Amino acid sequence: GGALGGTLTVAIAACLFGTLGPASRAAYEAGLTPLSFSLWRAVIGAAALAALLGWLHARGRGRMRWRALPPRALGALLVAGAASVVLNLAIFSAFQQTSIALALLGFYTYPALVAGAAMLLGEERLTRVRTAALALALLGMTIVVLGGATGETSFSALGFGLALLAAAMQAIYVLLGRRGFRAIPSEEATFGVIGIDAAAFLGLAVLGGTWNV
């Protein structure tokens, strides 16, 4: 628990996120599209979280009273869900359009977007120490991502633009998660967002006639 547990959780999440590029590429080669891949990911994630919540409830954890939540929190969760829909479609389309290394390079500009937005909103001061730390983090990320690219760095303006769009949506999601729906426990909040994703992707697949999942 505590700071060490939080740091470990972030490290594990980052490692798992790093598998999405190769996993999506393998799925595309098997015939899936970015939309169908996003749909399957959301459905499996929602099912896993539903099972986790069921287990927590069986162990005595109280159920979430959604109707008792402030409208602001529910609204923020809906906006976060919409941002997540765009984020998923953008980043998985970017993986298809350009190299994984360049897509990740574009996506991982989101910490700078979060810092800039927090400063503009007057919530944080961008001190010299924070600026230096952010610059070093972005530099380190660039070296790691491009240094690990072994010849597969084909540039696509569309793909890189989609990665930047995904970064913007991730920044919105982070800012909303910080203060928009704190009243909602993380498990229920994540389940709500993934549920919105799954419903949106299913609707898009049906409306677009791309039911090749």
Side-chain angles (χ1 to χ4, degrees):
L4 179 59
T7 301
L8 182 60
T9 300
V10 170
I12 293 173
C15 291
L16 291 175
F17 186 87
T19 67
L20 289 178
S24 63
R25 281 289 181 87
Y28 301 155
E29 291 176 2
L32 269 69
T33 64
L35 175 57
S36 57
F37 181 79
S38 299
L39 173 58
W40 275 113
R41 179 172 176 263
V43 169
I44 294 171
L49 277 168
L52 173 62
L53 288 171
W55 180 75
L56 290 174
H57 294 153
R59 290 177 60 87
R61 174 169 166 170
R63 294 183 179 274
M64 188 72 190
R65 297 178 58 193
W66 293 95
R67 293 183 180 180
L69 289 171
R72 178 180 174 135
L74 289 174
L77 187 65
L78 287 173
V79 174
S84 180
V85 169
V86 178
L87 159 63
N88 278 273
L89 291 178
I91 193 61
F92 290 128
S93 296
F95 287 147
Q96 186 182 49
Q97 294 292 328
T98 192
S99 70
I100 294 173
L102 291 176
L104 289 176
L105 181 62
F107 177 75
Y108 278 116
T109 59
Y110 82 83
L113 298 179
V114 171
M119 182 184 65
L120 290 174
L121 292 171
E123 297 175 349
E124 291 183 6
R125 290 180 60 248
L126 200 59
T127 63
R128 290 182 179 179
V129 173
R130 288 179 178 174
T131 302
L134 184 61
L136 285 173
L138 290 174
L139 176 62
M141 178 271 297
T142 302
I143 293 173
V144 169
V145 170
L146 294 184
T150 55
E152 192 230 347
T153 54
S154 58
F155 178 78
S156 162
L158 174 60
F160 196 72
L162 287 168
L164 292 177
L165 174 61
M169 294 300 103
Q170 179 69 10
I172 291 173
Y173 186 91
V174 170
L175 291 168
L176 285 171
R178 274 185 181 179
R179 55 193 62 81
F181 45 89
R182 279 188 171 180
I184 307 175
S186 58
E187 295 86 359
E188 280 85 355
T190 306
F191 178 71
V193 168
I194 293 182
I196 292 171
D197 288 349
F201 297 146
L202 179 60
L204 289 172
V206 173
L207 289 175
T210 56
W211 191 244
N212 59 335
V213 295

